[in-house]
Amino acid sequence: MSEGILIVVSGFSGSGKGTITKKLVDEYEDYIISVSATTRAPREGEVEGREYFFKTREEFEKLIADDALVEYAQYVNNYYGTPKAFVEENLKKGKNVILEIEVQGAIQIKHMYPDAVTIFMSGPSIAEIRKRLIARGTETIEQIESRLRRAKEEVKLMGVYDHLIINYDRDECTKELNDIIVSSKNKLAYNKAFIEKITKELEEY
Ligand code: 5GP
């Protein structure tokens, strides 16, 4: 069985990346979303172990010290990080593992897993993104402004990604994301088992 694909989805706050990745998992097989650890407080409706593993700063720093995270970063005063065991186990099982993480984390993943498929998602305009964030109602205006200031930094690092998706429409965007991942299955790096098999066949021929 071939290994799963590691997929990084990043994007400006309010780009719709959370909604799109959830839709991808609902509509297509073989995907699994990694649940991150964070020191951010839960939003209304968020469930421990479903959206995030919510941690104190001390608990999070213990995860760092124990080398239990594949990557971590600080985003607007909070820590966020990806648990290592979950990613490694699911890739081995052949699942396509999605990391919905910010850009510092994406850079760390690219170093560790050069064949990871990295995708940046944006809303059509900053005005539209701001409107979506206000409509979401989960952050105060000050927090929204901090997130948009962070976007000014993120845009400078967009060049590290392989693909860009502009979220005009949820359904179209989900399909585009799936298409990108499906076409990555043909990368040589994801076909090591087949290459070994055909090499052995030729040796015996
Ligand atoms: P939010 O507070 O809106 O849930 O997430 C804030 C930012 O942190 C988003 O850009 C999200 O993609 C990112 N993020 C979530 N989990 C992780 C993680 O495990 N690692 C990193 N580096 N970023 C994360």
Side-chain angles (χ1 to χ4, degrees):
M1 185 177 52
S2 59
E3 281 217 348
I5 298 177
L6 185 58
I7 302 137
V8 173
V9 179
S10 302
F12 302 129
S13 187
S15 62
K17 59 187 185 299
T19 311
I20 303 296
T21 47
K22 280 191 193 82
K23 228 168 123 52
L24 185 79
V25 173
D26 288 345
E27 291 179 12
Y28 299 89
E29 281 174 18
D30 295 335
Y31 290 116
I32 192 157
I33 302 183
S34 154
V35 179
S36 297
T38 184
T39 58
R40 155 163 96 52
R43 290 180 187 140
E44 211 178 304
E46 285 185 335
V47 174
E48 164 71 16
R50 189 181 69 191
E51 278 78 15
Y52 283 106
F53 296 106
F54 296 99
K55 304 283 178 198
T56 61
R57 279 192 95 77
E58 292 69 35
E59 286 167 343
F60 197 100
E61 280 162 3
K62 172 124 187 7
L63 291 176
I64 300 172
D66 290 348
D67 196 25
L69 303 173
V70 206
E71 62 74 36
Y72 70 94
Q74 295 231 26
Y75 176 92
V76 190
N77 304 325
N78 281 301
Y79 276 127
Y80 293 80
T82 304
K84 192 184 264 182
F86 179 92
V87 171
E88 290 177 350
E89 282 162 20
N90 280 288
L91 286 176
K92 267 198 210 107
K93 280 191 218 158
K95 286 270 183 192
N96 298 326
V97 179
I98 303 179
L99 308 184
E100 195 215 305
I101 63 177
E102 54 68 68
V103 62
Q104 297 301 334
I107 292 168
Q108 294 171 49
I109 293 291
K110 254 309 196 203
H111 279 125
M112 280 187 67
Y113 299 86
D115 296 305
V117 178
T118 57
I119 299 153
F120 196 90
M121 202 176 286
S122 175
S125 67
I126 294 303
E128 178 63 29
I129 288 173
R130 195 168 184 278
K131 209 170 87 188
R132 285 182 191 172
L133 282 173
I134 292 170
R136 186 164 85 182
T138 51
E139 273 82 26
T140 62
I141 288 293
E142 292 75 49
Q143 285 169 331
I144 290 174
E145 295 307 338
S146 300
R147 283 172 174 246
L148 290 173
R149 273 198 300 280
R150 172 76 182 213
K152 282 190 184 211
E153 300 306 313
E154 289 170 338
V155 76
K156 294 179 195 157
L157 296 169
M158 245 163 91
V160 307
Y161 290 85
D162 303 317
H163 304 273
L164 171 69
I165 295 183
I166 304 166
N167 182 4
Y168 293 104
D169 171 87
R170 280 180 192 178
D171 292 339
E172 189 53 33
C173 197
T174 309
K175 190 179 166 304
E176 278 179 31
L177 185 56
N178 182 57
D179 288 348
I180 288 172
I181 299 162
V182 167
S183 67
S184 304
K185 283 188 174 150
N186 296 97
K187 277 184 151 189
L188 283 183
Y190 289 117
N191 290 281
K192 284 187 193 126
F194 176 81
I195 295 167
E196 265 173 38
K197 178 185 96 81
I198 206 86
T199 305
K200 198 160 171 280
E201 280 177 16
L202 281 168
E203 278 166 7
E204 288 164 2
Y205 180 73

